[in-house]
Amino acid sequence: MNNRLAALLLLKNLILSMTVLFVSFPAAGQGILVPDTTGRVPSSTSSNAAQTNPLDTGSSLHKRNWRYRVNPSDTLELTFALTPEFNQTVTVQPDGYITLRGVGDLSAAGQTLPELTQSLKTAYSKILQDPEIAVDPKEFEKPFFTVGGQVGKPGKFDWYGDITLTQAIAIAGGFTDASKHSQVLLFRRVSDQWTEARIINVKKMLNSRDLQEDPELKPGDMLFVPKNALSKIKPFLPSTSASVFANPAAL
């Protein structure tokens, strides 16, 4: 009797755990809001939040027009077409600044190359007449994406462009036996304060042989493959408990 009671309790806990698991995730393909680094989530009842929410794009993943942004330790070559005596190679310092010949320090980290070019022109306009400046990155952080969870080789991988979600999973060693193919999470930073998360049903996509819904990754994207429900069951159970799963009607 005690063994049967323990088996019944175990089955009840398993059903409760699976219920919580499915309630925790929205429908596949639905974008959800991830808090910013301060932990704040804009209220869904606020009209202002609704107007500024970058995720209000239906079920499709928000597409970010990616441009490389300058990072600390980047090495940049600055070429002055009309005044070559100002040509120089600079390294972005840990605080994000570069030291420029003739004008001093300038904040560079976080800017795209066109933005930095304009900042340089503004700075050098104080001592030069209509300066023409070209910025050429020589050493910089390569674009990357990250894959974690239940894959063969989780980690950080170089992004070379035109990489889809299924290709990224293959690069990361493919799914493991414990993978939940139907709820692969794709996280994408869409602004300094917002990160979009989407659940991709890769199992359905592959079974239907329809890769039109296979999203293309962008630099900085992160994939996470969770465990399936069966892999969360303890590897060893009392024999009486195991028999409950095989024949629940016996309770």
Side-chain angles (χ1 to χ4, degrees), residues 209-223:
R209 295 178 175 82
D210 181 11
L211 297 181
Q212 292 183 356
E213 296 298 322
D214 191 8
E216 183 178 326
L217 296 192
K218 300 294 183 182
D221 281 358
M222 183 179 75
L223 299 177

Side-chain angles (χ1 to χ4, degrees), residues 33-36 39-46 48-50 52-54 193-194:
L33 181 63
V34 178
D36 61 14
R40 293 178 286 108
V41 180
S43 172
S44 59
T45 60
S46 170
N48 291 333
T52 59
N53 186 350
Q193 292 82 29
W194 294 82

Side-chain angles (χ1 to χ4, degrees), residues 84-161:
E85 61 272 19
F86 283 97
N87 290 351
Q88 56 196 289
T89 300
V90 297
T91 299
V92 183
Q93 302 165 11
D95 59 3
Y97 281 79
I98 54 177
T99 300
L100 301 170
R101 187 180 305 161
V103 296
D105 292 344
L106 177 71
S107 178
Q111 298 190 60
T112 64
L113 295 183
E115 290 171 347
L116 179 58
T117 300
Q118 185 57 49
S119 296
L120 289 167
K121 289 181 178 180
T122 300
Y124 274 99
S125 292
K126 299 175 182 178
I127 60 174
L128 299 175
Q129 183 70 28
D130 297 328
E132 293 186 15
I133 308 172
V135 181
D136 184 19
K138 291 300 182 183
E139 296 180 9
F140 55 93
E141 182 181 18
K142 294 181 179 179
F144 66 91
F145 64 91
T146 306
V147 184
Q150 301 304 308
V151 291
K153 298 182 296 181
K156 180 178 176 181
F157 304 90
D158 290 339
W159 178 87
Y160 296 105

Side-chain angles (χ1 to χ4, degrees), residues 14-233:
L14 177 62
I15 295 174
L16 178 61
S17 298
M18 293 180 68
T19 302
V20 172
L21 175 66
F22 286 109
V23 169
S24 298
F25 289 104
Q30 178 180 346
I32 59 177
L33 181 63
V34 178
D36 61 14
T37 54
T38 64
R40 293 178 286 108
V41 180
S43 172
S44 59
T45 60
S46 170
S47 59
N48 291 333
Q51 293 175 358
T52 59
N53 186 350
L55 304 184
D56 290 337
T57 55
S59 61
S60 61
L61 191 69
H62 181 87
K63 294 184 178 180
R64 178 182 59 177
N65 294 324
W66 183 80
R67 296 296 298 267
Y68 183 78
R69 294 185 179 274
V70 176
N71 293 295
S73 301
D74 286 358
T75 299
L76 308 172
E77 184 177 77
L78 311 182
T79 303
F80 291 70
L82 304 179
T83 51
E85 61 272 19
F86 283 97
N87 290 351
Q88 56 196 289
T89 300
V90 297
T91 299
V92 183
Q93 302 165 11
D95 59 3
Y97 281 79
I98 54 177
T99 300
L100 301 170
R101 187 180 305 161
V103 296
D105 292 344
L106 177 71
S107 178
Q111 298 190 60
T112 64
L113 295 183
E115 290 171 347
L116 179 58
T117 300
Q118 185 57 49
S119 296
L120 289 167
K121 289 181 178 180
T122 300
Y124 274 99
S125 292
K126 299 175 182 178
I127 60 174
L128 299 175
Q129 183 70 28
D130 297 328
E132 293 186 15
I133 308 172
V135 181
D136 184 19
K138 291 300 182 183
E139 296 180 9
F140 55 93
E141 182 181 18
K142 294 181 179 179
F144 66 91
F145 64 91
T146 306
V147 184
Q150 301 304 308
V151 291
K153 298 182 296 181
K156 180 178 176 181
F157 304 90
D158 290 339
W159 178 87
Y160 296 105
D162 297 329
I163 297 178
T164 66
L165 182 145
T166 55
Q167 290 172 336
I169 292 175
I171 292 172
F175 290 116
T176 68
D177 293 339
S179 300
K180 189 172 183 64
H181 304 60
S182 61
Q183 289 188 340
V184 177
L185 295 168
L186 170 56
F187 295 95
R188 174 168 299 169
R189 189 78 173 267
V190 295
S191 72
D192 291 339
Q193 292 82 29
W194 294 82
T195 296
E196 183 180 6
R198 183 183 175 189
I199 299 176
I200 310 296
N201 191 337
V202 178
K203 180 179 180 180
K204 179 180 178 182
M205 188 193 315
L206 296 179
N207 287 343
S208 64
R209 295 178 175 82
D210 181 11
L211 297 181
Q212 292 183 356
E213 296 298 322
D214 191 8
E216 183 178 326
L217 296 192
K218 300 294 183 182
D221 281 358
M222 183 179 75
L223 299 177
F224 181 78
V225 181
K227 286 185 176 182
N228 58 42
L230 291 179
S231 67
K232 296 180 181 180
I233 299 177

